[in-house]
Amino acid sequence: MVSSTPGVRRSLAAAWTTLLRQYEDDFEHFVDAMKTPMPVLAIIKTQPHLDELIEGCGGSTESLLKALKKHISLATASSNSRLAAIAIGPVLLILENIGYVSVEIAQQFLEQGIIASPVSALGVEGMPPNNPVRPVAAELGVGVLIDYLELRTEYRWTLQALRAGLLERVILWGIKLGNVSESEAGRLPELLLVVLRRILVFPSAIVKLRDALSRVEAASSSPAFAQSVLYAPWMALKNTVDERVRLLEIWKTDESTSTLACDNLQCERVDNKDCFRCCAGCGIAAYCSRTCQRADWGEGHRDECSSLLSAQGR
């Protein structure tokens, strides 16, 4: 009925954004008011559905994104895990369905910083009442995160997820899930074995992932996590990173020949390492031309150069 009746979704979205403002300090009443409309609002199957949602939220993709972020922020800040689990599922479904209906808008969301939201959603540990076995955050949150990271090939989105605390939440879910079957772990193993490993073609990403892993070394070495279904894929990732770090050191000392990919994320050149020059500052990022180096400096290497330098103890 909702799908075939124009205007319903627009009205629900307007009510949603109004209640977000009205009850931002009263999460329990907000969930109570929206627990029936929100699942309906999450049904986005066509572009007209999405257009109505955008109109109801204020008329722009920015206003929709603001509402999505605020909703997730309220849920993750709640001390009531059951209410948080009820509230977080529909908004994650909205994000998931937007990715299916409009890749263009999903990519805009990436540019506007959406990645931290599904990462923070992994902090919701409560079980939804209709599914007491599989946690909604660990299932939907990881799925949304993976889907959005697959929209673009640049590794900076994955690094944003790491900065937002992705590895810490993976460890917490590993401990919480324990030694369940792989199917019950959802897409968490895929996150470790596929998504994080594929950024390791970039030297600067290797260093950053190594540093991120080192920050959670104590937690990942706990006996509880060692018994987890996620421990084996975690160790596979760690071993791969260690091997890539070793190869990077060999490459830097000219002990072997190898190919390299340009660290300008808009460039797809892969060639012999002799065709590249390293950044004079950090000595890690490598570029095939001065044009690519200038472009990457403006895209973010200006901010990361000093941190890479510090990581090397220079």
Side-chain angles (χ1 to χ4, degrees), residues 146-195:
I146 291 175
D147 290 344
Y148 273 73
L149 290 176
E150 289 178 344
L151 288 171
R152 301 280 287 271
T153 58
E154 299 99 322
Y155 72 82
R156 56 178 166 147
W157 317 116
T158 306
L159 297 184
Q160 285 183 10
L162 293 174
R163 288 194 292 270
L166 175 61
L167 295 183
E168 290 84 349
R169 288 175 171 84
V170 169
I171 291 173
L172 289 174
W173 274 113
I175 294 172
K176 186 174 181 65
L177 291 172
N179 193 22
V180 300
S181 66
E182 290 188 11
S183 62
E184 290 177 297
R187 299 181 71 182
L188 282 163
E190 177 187 350
L191 181 66
L192 296 171
L193 293 174
V194 179
V195 177

Side-chain angles (χ1 to χ4, degrees), residues 26 83 161 194 262 291-292 305:
D26 192 349
L83 289 178
V194 179
C262 182
T291 300
C292 279
C305 187

Side-chain angles (χ1 to χ4, degrees), residues 37-242:
M38 279 305 301
V40 177
L41 194 60
I43 303 171
I44 304 169
K45 297 183 178 179
T46 66
Q47 186 63 45
H49 291 170
L50 180 54
D51 291 340
E52 280 202 4
L53 177 62
I54 292 172
E55 289 173 23
C57 288
S60 69
T61 56
E62 289 80 7
S63 59
L64 170 58
L65 180 61
K66 183 179 179 180
L68 290 166
K69 285 183 172 181
K70 187 170 186 178
H71 186 119
I72 292 174
S73 177
L74 288 175
T76 55
S78 173
S79 59
N80 188 321
S81 61
R82 179 181 173 276
L83 289 178
I86 293 172
I88 206 78
V91 77
L92 289 173
L93 277 174
I94 290 175
L95 277 173
E96 181 179 62
N97 290 331
I98 287 173
Y100 295 148
V101 171
S102 176
V103 172
E104 180 181 356
I105 290 179
Q107 289 177 339
Q108 290 177 23
F109 283 3
L110 268 179
E111 295 284 353
Q112 295 164 359
I114 192 59
I115 284 300
S117 293
V119 172
S120 66
L122 295 181
V124 177
E125 299 185 19
M127 306 292 190
N130 61 335
N131 190 350
V133 178
R134 300 187 68 170
V136 65
E139 183 175 359
L140 272 176
V142 172
V144 169
L145 181 63
I146 291 175
D147 290 344
Y148 273 73
L149 290 176
E150 289 178 344
L151 288 171
R152 301 280 287 271
T153 58
E154 299 99 322
Y155 72 82
R156 56 178 166 147
W157 317 116
T158 306
L159 297 184
Q160 285 183 10
L162 293 174
R163 288 194 292 270
L166 175 61
L167 295 183
E168 290 84 349
R169 288 175 171 84
V170 169
I171 291 173
L172 289 174
W173 274 113
I175 294 172
K176 186 174 181 65
L177 291 172
N179 193 22
V180 300
S181 66
E182 290 188 11
S183 62
E184 290 177 297
R187 299 181 71 182
L188 282 163
E190 177 187 350
L191 181 66
L192 296 171
L193 293 174
V194 179
V195 177
L196 292 182
R197 288 176 74 173
R198 72 181 174 209
I199 70 172
L200 296 176
V201 298
F202 299 99
S204 56
I206 294 172
V207 173
K208 289 198 170 185
L209 188 48
R210 177 201 65 187
D211 293 344
L213 286 167
S214 68
R215 288 195 296 270
V216 296
E217 185 174 0
S220 65
S221 301
S222 70
F225 187 65
Q227 300 299 317
S228 167
V229 66
L230 298 183
Y231 186 71
W234 179 279
M235 291 306 299
L237 171 66
K238 184 178 182 303
N239 291 337
T240 301
V241 172
D242 290 343

Side-chain angles (χ1 to χ4, degrees), residues 221-278:
S221 301
S222 70
F225 187 65
Q227 300 299 317
S228 167
V229 66
L230 298 183
Y231 186 71
W234 179 279
M235 291 306 299
L237 171 66
K238 184 178 182 303
N239 291 337
T240 301
V241 172
D242 290 343
E243 177 64 13
R244 295 295 172 87
V245 169
R246 187 185 70 82
L247 292 175
L248 183 60
E249 290 301 319
I250 291 175
W251 174 82
K252 287 170 60 179
T253 56
D254 288 328
E255 293 179 14
S256 70
T257 59
S258 65
T259 58
L260 195 63
C262 182
D263 270 309
N264 172 22
L265 302 179
Q266 307 302 320
C267 178
E268 298 181 353
R269 183 175 179 182
V270 178
D271 212 328
N272 188 282
K273 69 176 185 178
D274 294 336
C275 300
F276 298 82
R277 63 174 63 197
C278 288

Side-chain angles (χ1 to χ4, degrees), residues 19-31:
L19 289 171
L20 274 173
R21 292 190 297 269
Q22 182 177 347
Y23 289 127
E24 61 180 312
D25 296 322
D26 192 349
F27 183 67
E28 183 173 352
H29 282 88
F30 168 71
V31 174

